[in-house]
Amino acid sequence: MDWYDTLFELIDMRSFSNLWFWIVLAVVWSTTSHYGLGVPFDMVLRAKRHGGQAEIDLEDLVRINSNRLLFIAQVSGLWIAGFACFFLTMLGLLGFIYGNEFAQSLMLLAFPLSLVGLVSISTARLIQEEEARGERLQKRLMRHRLYTQIIGMVSIFVTALWGMYQNINVGPLGG
């Protein structure tokens, strides 16, 4: 057996039957849900409960991250959008037209995350336009988290359905 066979025996490229894929899916959505606009959700809760310095810290961190996100979107947003569309189209074609399961799994991870990216840019723009502070800022961040969690729940549900379909359709021996 050569190194190529050993490697692919160790790292199963059939994603939906691989435990590591499901662990990655859970970690990605847990992390994405916790860090809205790069701000940990516990900071939002602490600012809401205690105010004072916690609220000032939250406002500063949101201002820094929102300005950074909007600057990146303004300066190179078209390039990023172009590469993202190319990448997602490539994954979609490889996965769902040519039947590559690894590309399917990446598509089912990347597409919803791109939607979360668009929601993040929209939220950052709204925060900047409103000059949101205090309770209004906290509500914006909580709404952003809710939208992220809804996208995540739908994504996990669709991924689980597709994964079950693939595992039933392909079977344990790969075809």
Side-chain angles (χ1 to χ4, degrees):
M1 192 183 283
D2 63 349
W3 69 271
Y4 184 79
D5 291 334
T6 306
L7 179 68
F8 279 97
E9 185 177 314
L10 181 65
I11 304 171
D12 185 11
M13 295 306 276
R14 286 200 50 232
S15 301
F16 300 112
S17 63
N18 192 335
L19 177 64
W20 288 109
F21 170 74
W22 298 104
I23 291 171
V24 166
L25 183 73
V27 168
V28 162
W29 283 110
S30 174
T31 304
T32 302
S33 173
H34 184 69
Y35 290 96
L37 293 180
V39 178
F41 189 67
D42 61 287
M43 280 188 76
V44 178
L45 295 178
R46 194 174 320 120
K48 188 173 187 160
R49 289 184 189 132
H50 303 293
Q53 187 61 43
E55 194 168 354
I56 293 169
D57 292 346
L58 175 69
E59 290 172 359
D60 289 343
L61 190 56
V62 169
R63 180 184 46 78
I64 291 167
N65 287 340
S66 293
N67 288 343
R68 181 177 172 271
L69 184 62
L70 291 174
F71 177 76
I72 291 170
Q74 190 176 37
V75 170
S76 52
L78 287 176
W79 283 100
I80 292 171
F83 283 121
C85 288
F86 169 76
F87 182 69
L88 290 173
T89 302
M90 180 188 66
L91 286 177
L93 289 173
L94 284 173
F96 298 104
I97 302 299
Y98 293 106
N100 184 315
E101 191 172 312
F102 187 67
Q104 291 172 1
S105 65
L106 287 178
M107 178 67 171
L108 290 170
L109 272 171
F111 179 71
L113 287 175
S114 68
L115 296 179
V116 171
L118 294 174
V119 170
S120 296
I121 291 170
S122 174
T123 301
R125 185 166 289 129
L126 284 171
I127 288 171
Q128 192 177 58
E129 286 174 1
E130 296 174 344
E131 297 179 3
R133 295 185 154 306
E135 191 175 330
R136 181 176 222 157
L137 176 63
Q138 294 161 14
K139 284 184 179 180
R140 278 272 172 234
L141 292 173
M142 292 181 100
R143 187 172 296 138
H144 180 270
R145 184 171 196 237
L146 176 67
Y147 293 157
T148 301
Q149 287 177 330
I150 290 170
I151 293 169
M153 285 187 297
V154 171
S155 170
I156 290 169
F157 181 72
V158 169
T159 302
L161 285 179
W162 185 257
M164 285 187 284
Y165 171 75
Q166 286 296 101
N167 288 333
I168 291 170
N169 191 31
V170 174
L173 299 177

